[in-house]
Structures are given as C-alpha cells and as structure tokens.
C-alpha cells in the first residue's frame, strides 16, 4: 500500500511539472524586463508629386505562415490602425495592388528561449508603394539584390517607393511564455516599421 501511495505521489508530481512546463509553450504571459535595440535603414524614391492617402486604405502582405509571421501581421495591422489606416490583408503576393501596399518579409530569425531568459536576433525587410505598383522590387530585395534602380515609367501620376531593412537585438529576463515572447518581438518590429513609414511619408517628396 505504501509503495502504491509513493507511486501516485511521483506520478502526480510528474504531471504537475508537465503542466507547468507546457504552459510556457502554450499560454500567453509575461512578467519580465526586455532590452531591445533596433537598427534600421530605409531608402525612398519619388516621382512627380505623390498624392498619398495617409491615413487611408492600405494592403498589408506579410510573407510566411509560421507563428512569428502571423504575430507580425497582427501587430503591424494594429499599429497601422492606430494611425487611422484602413488595413486590408493581402493573402498572396501580387504584381500590382489596387491601392497603396506594404509588403514585409522575415529574412532571418535566430534566438534562445527559456522560461526565465530569452534572446533573439531578428532581421526583416519591407517594401512600400504609394500606388500599389512596382512590387517586383520586393522580390528583388528579398533575394538579396541590393542594387536599387527605380525606373521612371513616364507616368504623369506621382508615386513614392520605399524599401527598408530592420535588425532587432533583444534580451529578455524574467518569467515569459514562448507565445508572449514572440508577440513581444513582433510588436517591437511593427512599431519600428510603421514609425519609419510615417516619417518618410511626412518628408515627401
């Protein structure tokens, strides 16, 4: 009988530990302090006198179906909506959209996750078109083509194109679930991208 009681205690302890550990990978909680450094670069090109509808309607395309890309899509949408944008999710990459578009790609993501300490290095690139055209440049920059030659097609309609790169270095200490940590990274990246976008639009031409 005593052996049965001890066995039950061991099984109960193992079960409790399993539940606690699994909660760090499933639930969403964060009681931690983060130190995040962002290094961004953006290049812009304008023709004519761009009439940008900002705030206005915008297509948002975030490439990838992984968890981090999903959180990034959610956070960028939220940041754009904060500044008054009407955001429409683009499910697929298109050579031309009906109106202005922001396209984002996660180039590289490396990191370490533990329930009490996490660190990450995140690299993203993004492309903006005030008319929804010229999205072929997104594909070129994503593939590592760093030569930026924007051609003027002779159109009388003004437009503005931007391409940017963002590197995030993050260190988080404290109790944090994996889900919450990924959301934290996505939120920091989203804020930086939308801030850069607003600054460039204010600086037209």
């Amino acid at each position: 009988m005593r052996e049965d009681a001890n066995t039950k205690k061991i099984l109960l302890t193992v079960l409790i530990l399993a539940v606690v550990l699994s909660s760090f990978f499933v639930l969403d909680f964060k009681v931690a302090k983060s130190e995040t450094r962002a290094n961004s670069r953006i290049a812009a090109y304008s023709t004519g006198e761009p009439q940008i509808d900002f705030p206005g309607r915008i297509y948002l395309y975030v490439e990838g179906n992984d968890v981090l890309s999903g959180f990034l899509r959610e956070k960028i949408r939220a940041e754009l909506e904060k500044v008054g944008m009407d955001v429409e999710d683009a499910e697929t990459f298109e050579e031309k959209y009906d109106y202005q578009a922001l396209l984002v790609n996660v180039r590289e993501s490396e990191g370490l996750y533990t329930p009490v300490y996490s660190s990450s290095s995140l690299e993203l690139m993004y492309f903006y078109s005030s008319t929804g055209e010229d999205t072929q440049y997104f594909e070129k920059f994503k593939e590592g083509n760093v030569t930026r030659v924007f051609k003027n097609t002779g159109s009388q309609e003004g437009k503005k194109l931007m391409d940017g790169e963002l590197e995030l270095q993050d260190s988080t200490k404290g109790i944090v679930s994996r889900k919450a940590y990924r959301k934290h990274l996505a939120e920091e990246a989203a804020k930086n991208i939308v801030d850069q976008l607003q600054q460039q639009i204010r600086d037209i031409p």
Side-chain angles (χ1 to χ4, degrees):
M1 294 293 292
R2 183 174 298 176
E3 290 183 359
D4 289 343
N6 289 336
T7 300
K8 288 181 179 180
K9 287 181 180 179
I10 293 172
L11 291 175
L12 181 60
T13 301
V14 171
L15 179 61
I16 292 173
L17 287 174
V19 170
V20 171
L21 289 174
S22 64
S23 69
F24 282 96
F25 292 88
V26 177
L27 300 181
D28 184 0
F29 57 87
K30 180 175 183 283
V31 185
K33 183 177 181 180
S34 297
E35 181 179 336
T36 309
R37 289 175 293 178
N39 181 25
S40 61
R41 181 215 55 77
I42 190 166
Y45 167 83
S46 297
T47 63
E49 297 182 2
Q51 301 298 315
I52 299 180
D53 190 16
F54 200 98
R57 299 182 69 187
I58 187 170
Y59 275 106
L60 172 62
Y61 173 69
V62 178
E63 197 163 55
N65 296 314
D66 58 286
V67 175
L68 181 58
S69 295
F71 286 148
L72 186 60
R73 185 180 299 108
E74 173 188 317
K75 296 300 182 180
I76 293 177
R77 165 186 273 275
E79 290 298 318
L80 287 170
E81 289 176 342
K82 281 182 183 179
V83 296
M85 299 298 287
D86 179 11
V87 185
E88 182 169 341
D89 288 324
E91 299 297 331
T92 59
F93 170 79
E94 302 290 345
E95 294 184 356
K96 179 181 178 181
Y97 294 94
D98 295 334
Y99 38 88
Q100 61 187 322
L102 175 64
L103 299 86
V104 184
N105 171 262
V106 180
R107 276 183 173 170
E108 187 176 349
S109 176
E110 297 180 353
L112 167 70
Y113 170 77
T114 71
V116 293
Y117 174 77
S118 299
S119 63
S120 288
S121 175
L122 187 64
E123 184 178 332
L124 305 95
M125 68 81 56
Y126 54 96
F127 179 81
Y128 168 83
S129 169
S130 65
T131 61
E133 301 175 340
D134 302 295
T135 57
Q136 71 271 16
Y137 291 114
F138 173 72
E139 291 293 307
K140 291 180 180 180
F141 300 151
K142 185 182 68 177
E143 293 168 2
N145 185 344
V146 296
T147 303
R148 291 162 173 80
V149 181
F150 296 124
K151 295 181 180 179
N152 189 341
T153 60
S155 172
Q156 297 299 313
E157 181 184 2
K159 63 181 176 181
K160 184 156 189 171
L161 306 177
M162 308 176 205
D163 81 275
E165 295 177 352
L166 172 63
E167 294 180 3
L168 282 182
Q169 299 287 335
D170 180 85
S171 175
T172 294
K173 298 178 181 179
I175 299 174
V176 58
S177 68
R178 190 172 186 178
K179 183 177 182 179
Y181 184 61
R182 284 172 170 170
K183 282 188 174 182
H184 160 68
L185 294 175
E187 184 173 15
E188 292 296 324
K191 287 178 180 178
N192 188 283
I193 290 173
V194 175
D195 283 347
Q196 289 293 324
L197 186 63
Q198 287 190 90
Q199 289 178 28
Q200 289 296 321
I201 289 175
R202 292 194 195 104
D203 291 339
I204 289 176

